[in-house]
């Protein structure tokens, strides 16, 4: 089991506090959004303590009732700053009250909010802080955060992927990778022993998200089908999203399934990785990929565990390969929260099957690509997508990396490299 004791959380918290502090110097409102239990409330409590201000917790029924009856009272100009409101999505009238205050005084650092609902997917009438708020997405813990280390792999990839190559082999073994990927990064889940205790936590998490957060957004008559849709999305993780496949399997209308998938995306259970947007050729596919927000959650829904992996059943190994890709993609998206660069993420896929699992594009046009393989043996075919992307992009392509579960890193071809997966969080020494 991963060590997620108080010392580790302390290291994580100090780093994130610094990021939030910088954003509060720039924006009137900072909104921390992300799935339940990723640590938003813990981070807010630490920030509030540093400023000597209280936290208004709208998960508390009594405090929620107070805010509902008089939202303006909790956002007025004479409140100590920043005003800290946890789980703001339970009372969206607060956003209009905050906007009214900002119309009178637009200064930085006035409000710090957390929410378990994606801000851009709130009803349009509730998005009153657009242009006034900086939105930060909090993910489950990254592998570096779990050991108190700030990762730089994303910056290295977009600047010079060659810096991830080393003559010294990785010491991470396949069983180590399997353990990390099956565990995921939800802080509370990591405190539970593997097996039934952790599985029960994931089951409770799904039930809470559907019964509380989804219904905060919309009253869904057929909410009993949402867990089944989620299981089908787990089976599609790291693959091109196909609403019709899910709809046909559950004998539901495709538009209803699409609507419910959007709701699951709204509460940070899944996310879409859109197709790469540069004009490469008419062959480039335009459909997004879907990823679950956490590899541990995906493994739970697919019933993948160490025992089944040890048996090497082909269907299980195929499913695990997709979970490995989701794990790697999510690790890099997490690093965007503290990256020196502003990065756009996408995937690249042509109609004849050439693909790159993750494409990263900097604001100045630099592009890097990552392909993920749940194996240690590399073949030339594994580089088809990266080669095509390199040749089409030209000089803007800084490099492509094939991440795998092996131990060695080396240059494979012009601006193409083989790199162990753990280079994403383990610096070269």
């Amino acid at each position: 089991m991963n060590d997620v004791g108080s010392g580790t959380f302390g290291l994580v918290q100090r780093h994130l506090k610094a990021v939030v502090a910088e954003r509060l110097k720039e924006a009137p409102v900072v909104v921390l959004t992300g799935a339940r239990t990723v640590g938003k409330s813990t981070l807010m409590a630490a920030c509030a303590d540093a400023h000597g201000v209280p936290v208004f917790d709208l998960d508390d029924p009594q405090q929620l009732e107070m805010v509902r009856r008089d939202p303006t009272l909790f956002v007025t100009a004479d409140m100590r700053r920043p005003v800290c409101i946890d789980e703001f999505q339970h009372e969206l009238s607060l956003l209009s009250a905050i906007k009214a205050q900002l119309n009178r005084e637009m200064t930085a650092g006035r409000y710090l909010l957390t929410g378990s609902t994606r801000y851009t997917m709130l009803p349009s009438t509730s998005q009153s802080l657009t242009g006034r708020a900086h939105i930060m997405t909090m993910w489950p813990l990254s592998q570096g955060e779990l050991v108190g280390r700030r990762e730089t792999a994303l910056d290295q990839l977009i600047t010079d992927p060659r810096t991830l190559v080393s003559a010294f082999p990785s010491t991470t073994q396949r069983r180590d990778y399997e353990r990390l990927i099956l565990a995921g990064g939800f802080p509370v889940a990591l405190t539970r022993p593997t097996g039934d205790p952790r599985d029960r936590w994931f089951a409770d998490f799904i039930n809470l998200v559907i019964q509380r957060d989804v219904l905060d957004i919309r009253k869904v008559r057929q909410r009993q089908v949402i867990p089944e849709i989620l299981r089908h999305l787990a089976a599609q993780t790291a693959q091109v999203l196909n609403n019709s496949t899910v709809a046909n399997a559950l004998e539901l209308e495709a538009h209803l399934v699409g609507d419910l998938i959007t709701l699951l995306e709204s509460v940070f259970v899944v996310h879409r990785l859109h197709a790469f947007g540069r004009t490469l050729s008419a062959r480039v596919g335009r459909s997004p990929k879907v990823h679950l927000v956490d590899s541990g959650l995906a493994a739970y829904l697919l019933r993948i565990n160490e025992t089944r992996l040890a048996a090497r059943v082909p269907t299980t190994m195929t499913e695990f390969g997709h979970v490995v890709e989701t794990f790697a993609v999510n690790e890099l998206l997490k690093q965007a929260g503290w990256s020196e660069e502003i990065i756009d993420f996408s995937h690249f896929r042509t109609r004849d099957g050439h693909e790159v699992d993750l494409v990263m594009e900097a604001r100045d046009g630099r592009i890097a690509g990552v392909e993920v393989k749940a194996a240690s043996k590399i073949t030339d075919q594994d580089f088809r997508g990266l080669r095509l992307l390199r040749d089409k992009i030209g000089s803007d392509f800084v490099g492509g990396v094939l991440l795998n579960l092996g131990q060695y890193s080396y240059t494979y071809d012009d601006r193409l490299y083989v790199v162990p997966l753990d280079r994403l969080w383990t610096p070269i020494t």
Side-chain angles (χ1 to χ4, degrees):
M1 185 176 68
N2 288 354
D3 177 10
V4 288
S6 59
T8 297
F9 282 126
L11 288 168
V12 174
Q13 199 177 84
R14 281 195 295 272
H15 169 57
L16 293 178
K17 277 174 61 180
V19 176
V20 173
E22 287 300 312
R23 299 301 178 265
L24 284 170
K25 293 176 182 177
E26 303 166 354
V29 185
V30 173
V31 183
L32 304 176
T33 61
R36 279 193 173 271
T37 79
V38 295
K40 302 186 301 295
S41 298
T42 302
L43 176 57
M44 170 171 274
C47 294
D49 185 64
H51 287 86
V53 299
V55 173
F56 300 106
D57 180 9
L58 302 197
D59 261 345
D60 181 311
Q62 187 173 7
Q63 292 195 50
L64 176 59
E65 180 64 20
M66 292 166 57
V67 172
R68 279 181 173 162
R69 290 185 177 279
D70 192 358
T72 303
L73 176 67
F74 295 87
V75 299
T76 52
D78 60 351
M79 291 287 287
R80 288 179 290 167
R81 302 180 184 181
V83 177
C84 295
I85 301 173
D86 200 11
E87 300 294 355
F88 75 90
Q89 79 278 353
H90 294 322
E91 185 49 53
L92 294 177
S93 65
L94 273 168
L95 303 184
S96 296
I98 290 173
K99 178 184 177 183
Q101 290 295 319
L102 295 179
N103 287 340
R104 298 184 183 94
E105 181 188 350
M106 182 75 79
T107 55
R110 292 196 62 183
Y111 301 97
L112 177 61
L113 314 179
T114 77
S116 298
T117 301
R118 196 177 296 273
Y119 181 81
T120 55
M121 293 184 176
L122 292 172
S124 57
T125 55
S126 299
Q127 295 182 32
S128 55
L129 298 183
T130 300
R132 299 171 173 85
H134 177 77
I135 313 298
M136 293 177 60
T137 300
M138 284 186 65
W139 293 76
L141 295 173
S142 73
Q143 295 304 304
E145 287 175 316
L146 286 170
V147 295
R149 178 188 301 131
R150 176 171 171 163
E151 304 103 304
T152 61
L154 178 59
D155 287 327
Q156 292 174 266
L157 280 165
I158 200 64
T159 302
D160 183 7
R162 181 76 173 82
T163 59
L164 295 170
V165 174
S166 170
F168 298 99
S170 165
T171 59
T172 305
Q173 303 293 320
R174 185 179 180 89
R175 288 188 63 183
D176 299 323
Y177 283 123
E178 291 176 355
R179 178 177 55 82
L180 296 174
I181 292 165
L182 294 178
F186 278 110
V188 181
L190 291 170
T191 66
R192 304 290 175 87
T194 56
D196 289 345
R198 189 173 291 173
D199 286 350
R200 281 193 292 270
W201 184 87
F202 279 120
D204 291 341
F205 168 80
I206 292 169
N207 184 61
L208 177 62
V209 166
I210 292 171
Q211 295 299 326
R212 186 74 187 269
D213 297 330
V214 167
L215 296 184
D216 268 341
I217 303 173
R218 188 180 310 161
K219 304 304 177 186
V220 181
R221 291 182 180 178
Q222 293 178 277
R223 62 177 179 268
Q224 72 278 1
V225 303
I226 297 178
E228 288 304 311
I229 291 175
L230 182 56
R231 290 190 184 278
H232 281 274
L233 292 178
Q236 286 192 28
T237 196
Q239 300 171 71
V240 173
L241 178 61
N242 191 324
N243 292 359
S244 297
T245 298
V246 180
N248 291 338
L250 297 176
E251 299 181 346
L252 296 170
E253 294 183 6
H255 74 85
L256 172 62
V257 169
D259 192 43
L260 295 178
I261 290 173
T262 299
L263 284 176
L264 288 170
E265 187 177 13
S266 299
V267 294
F268 298 97
V269 177
V270 300
H271 64 95
R272 302 181 210 220
L273 187 64
H274 292 284
F276 180 59
R278 279 195 178 185
T279 302
L280 294 176
S281 72
R283 296 183 303 153
V284 177
R286 306 305 302 168
S287 299
K289 276 189 173 184
V290 64
H291 287 277
L292 265 71
V293 75
D294 180 70
S295 62
L297 178 62
Y300 162 75
L301 290 166
L302 292 169
R303 297 181 172 87
I304 300 173
N305 53 40
E306 292 185 34
T307 301
R308 292 188 66 189
L309 289 177
R312 293 295 188 262
V313 178
T315 54
T316 299
M317 300 313 296
T318 298
E319 290 176 334
F320 183 65
H322 296 312
V323 176
V324 173
E325 181 181 331
T326 285
F327 173 84
V329 167
N330 288 349
E331 286 298 307
L332 286 166
L333 266 62
K334 292 170 189 179
Q335 293 184 30
W338 55 83
S339 171
E340 298 295 330
E341 305 266 5
I342 297 176
I343 305 294
D344 291 326
F345 295 95
S346 58
H347 79 95
F348 171 69
R349 181 182 177 87
T350 66
R351 292 189 176 91
D352 54 2
H354 293 72
E355 63 179 338
V356 176
D357 295 330
L358 186 65
V359 179
M360 294 145 287
E361 183 172 10
R363 290 305 171 101
D364 61 5
R366 284 173 290 133
I367 288 176
V370 166
E371 183 71 11
V372 184
K373 297 296 177 184
S376 56
K377 184 179 179 180
I378 304 302
T379 69
D380 195 62
Q381 287 287 95
D382 295 331
F383 282 93
R384 290 188 311 165
L386 286 169
R387 275 203 185 95
L388 177 61
L389 187 64
R390 178 196 64 187
D391 295 345
K392 290 288 186 179
I393 295 299
S395 60
D396 282 343
F397 185 80
V398 296
V401 167
L402 195 150
L403 294 171
N404 70 102
L405 304 191
Q407 294 180 279
Y408 299 98
S409 58
Y410 51 93
T411 300
Y412 188 88
D413 198 352
D414 175 36
R415 289 172 287 165
L416 299 179
Y417 311 96
V418 175
V419 174
L421 180 59
D422 69 353
R423 286 284 192 271
L424 296 185
W425 62 87
T426 305
I428 297 171
T429 56

